[in-house]
Amino acid sequence: MEGRIATDIGGKRAEIYTYECEDRVYSLNWSNRKEHRFRLAVGTLIEELENRVEIITLDDETGKFSSDPNLGFKHDYPPTKVMFVPDKESEHPDLMATTSDLLRLWRVGEDSTQLIKELTNNKNPELCAPLTSFDWNETDPKRLGTSSIDTTCTIWDIEKGVVDTQLIAHDKEVYDIAWGGVGVFASVSADGSVRVFDLRDKEHSTIIYESGDGGTPLLRLGWNKQDPRYMATLLMGSSKVVVLDIRFPTLPVAELQRHQQPVNGLAWAPHSSCHICTAGDDKQALIWDLSNMSQSMDQGLDPILAYGAGAEIDQLQWSTSQPDWVAINFGNKTQILASLTPPVKVSLCQQYLQWVGQQGQVNQIERWVWKSYAKDEIIAAQ
């Protein structure tokens, strides 16, 4: 089932498109290639061995999503992350990577997707530790880093199919990893710390932040590619998003605290150094303008736009090749939304947040709201 809604706003077009899968979905990402403007990979979340990755494409003329049965494929265990090669100029084959029990590399062709490599650093593949996440180095696409519950981060040379470096990164499980440059990456862990590693000095790392309070686990990490001084992380079970300035370790430069339930995903804008999107169990995706991070954290920062979905949002991705588009997963649905970014600076309306909560309780139909807090009006809603 696919859906479309469009609203003209000041000559611009706010559009929402929905794809409905047979099963619950979790992992999600955009193709980076210009010739595949609206292609996404979506992974299922089934508590069984056999899962699937669907390759879905939006027909820009009809406004409908379709899943190509020739490109989708079976996947052992739910993929914890899926990602296309960061190749906007199409200089490399159309590759995709997934993680679960192993790191797998796939070649996406015109009429089929082929598994080309299964990579593990464990001598006994049947006993390998699950991989929680990975990140593909945009500057050096042959380099890919994975994180694992065995406390390690592994840097792969995917062209050769060999381990470049494996580091014991944390004291507990590592939940996410993000590149900040050619040879610099950061990771977050169940030990509650954000650590930065420079591959030129593999014996040392820098602790940028520790959650305190007994070391609340950190689940997700996003590094601002437009301004690598900043990164953001999520705490397990927390409605707070912590924004960090790596020049000033240990103390957050901002805390985003307008979600009403735990946050599950974050994504920095690929075209702006001061915008970030967050999403969580409160069924909301919020876009924030962090250009005023210098204001007192006691006052708190307010989001500038809000999107309301019909269920808890599990995954969020902002398209790097089409920065006006954001994608989310919730339940068995994938939605993409034209975000009309960069948005104007507006202030939060607390009454609207209360309204969203009330609507979520009394209205059980699928709902996706785009709200401008400045004018107190709904821009687009399904």
Side-chain angles (χ1 to χ4, degrees):
M1 178 180 179
E2 298 82 20
R4 171 182 181 173
I5 183 168
T7 304
D8 287 314
I9 309 162
K12 295 185 178 180
R13 194 167 181 82
E15 297 178 290
I16 300 166
Y17 303 93
T18 304
Y19 176 77
E20 186 170 341
C21 183
E22 294 181 359
D23 301 297
R24 182 180 176 183
V25 292
Y26 176 70
S27 53
L28 166 72
N29 229 316
W30 294 82
S31 172
N32 298 301
R33 300 170 81 91
K34 294 180 179 179
E35 66 267 30
H36 299 307
R37 296 177 58 242
F38 292 103
R39 172 183 280 185
L40 298 97
V42 181
T44 61
L45 179 58
I46 306 172
E47 294 183 6
E48 298 177 1
L49 173 63
E50 185 174 305
N51 279 256
R52 285 191 61 79
V53 173
E54 301 287 345
I55 307 296
I56 64 174
T57 303
L58 178 72
D59 188 315
D60 200 14
E61 295 184 359
T62 65
K64 293 184 178 181
F65 267 114
S66 62
S67 175
D68 191 331
N70 295 320
L71 298 184
F73 51 89
K74 295 180 180 180
H75 194 281
D76 286 351
Y77 303 104
T80 54
K81 187 170 183 178
V82 57
M83 193 173 181
F84 288 91
V85 60
D87 180 23
K88 295 180 181 179
E89 304 303 324
S90 304
E91 297 176 349
H92 305 279
D94 196 1
L95 301 179
M96 184 171 60
T98 60
T99 46
S100 56
D101 57 328
L102 306 171
L103 170 62
R104 293 177 173 87
L105 295 176
W106 312 79
R107 185 192 302 268
V108 183
E110 293 296 326
D111 52 14
S112 66
T113 300
Q114 297 180 335
L115 176 64
I116 56 176
K117 289 178 183 176
E118 289 186 323
L119 303 176
T120 177
N121 199 32
N122 197 312
K123 295 181 180 179
N124 185 352
E126 296 181 358
L127 299 177
C128 54
L131 301 176
T132 54
S133 187
F134 72 94
D135 196 23
W136 216 318
N137 194 305
E138 293 185 6
T139 308
D140 185 6
K142 73 173 185 295
R143 186 174 275 178
L144 186 152
T146 60
S147 57
S148 173
I149 66 169
D150 67 1
T151 76
T152 67
C153 289
T154 304
I155 309 303
W156 291 89
D157 182 329
I158 60 171
E159 288 185 353
K160 298 178 180 178
V162 298
V163 173
D164 183 303
T165 301
Q166 186 174 49
L167 302 171
I168 299 177
H170 291 265
D171 300 326
K172 296 182 180 179
E173 298 94 331
V174 187
Y175 288 138
D176 205 3
I177 182 173
W179 289 101
V182 176
V184 178
F185 69 90
S187 57
V188 292
S189 164
D191 64 15
S193 68
V194 179
R195 305 190 185 194
V196 175
F197 298 84
D198 189 328
L199 294 178
R200 295 169 297 182
D201 182 8
K202 302 174 184 178
E203 300 299 321
H204 302 90
S205 65
T206 301
I207 297 178
I208 298 298
Y209 173 75
E210 291 182 295
S211 60
D213 298 329
T216 302
L218 303 178
L219 298 183
R220 289 289 172 261
L221 178 67
W223 204 320
N224 188 337
K225 300 298 175 64
Q226 296 300 315
D227 189 345
R229 296 175 299 175
Y230 297 104
M231 57 178 64
T233 186
L234 309 179
L235 287 75
M236 177 181 288
S238 174
S239 60
K240 178 174 66 176
V241 179
V242 176
V243 182
L244 306 169
D245 185 334
I246 63 174
R247 297 170 299 176
F248 307 102
T250 71
L251 295 177
V253 68
E255 292 182 344
L256 313 181
Q257 304 189 61
R258 294 300 184 256
H259 281 284
Q260 302 171 21
Q261 294 185 39
V263 184
N264 298 322
L266 62 87
W268 289 95
H271 63 308
S272 167
S273 62
C274 60
H275 290 93
I276 189 172
C277 187
T278 60
D281 284 352
D282 60 358
K283 308 177 185 179
Q284 290 195 97
L286 305 178
I287 290 183
W288 312 73
D289 182 351
L290 303 184
S291 58
N292 292 322
M293 281 191 294
S294 58
Q295 75 181 69
S296 172
M297 286 205 308
D298 293 335
Q299 299 175 5
L301 289 170
D302 295 330
I304 57 175
L305 293 174
Y307 312 87
E312 295 86 351
I313 302 174
D314 296 318
Q315 188 66 255
L316 161 72
Q317 296 291 337
W318 204 323
S319 174
T320 58
S321 60
Q322 298 187 98
D324 285 343
W325 291 87
V326 175
I328 61 169
N329 275 350
F330 58 94
N332 67 333
K333 294 180 175 63
T334 297
Q335 279 189 334
I336 67 171
L337 171 76
S339 60
L340 300 187
T341 52
V344 296
K345 298 179 181 179
V346 291
S347 61
L348 174 67
C349 173
Q350 286 288 357
Q351 291 83 357
Y352 174 69
L353 281 181
Q354 296 172 4
W355 180 86
V356 168
Q358 293 168 0
Q359 290 295 103
Q361 294 172 9
V362 301
N363 189 355
Q364 298 302 316
I365 65 172
E366 205 68 64
R367 187 168 182 85
W368 172 267
V369 175
W370 181 351
K371 171 76 176 181
S372 167
Y373 294 98
K375 297 181 179 180
D376 195 29
E377 64 183 6
I378 296 174
I379 296 178
Q382 177 179 2

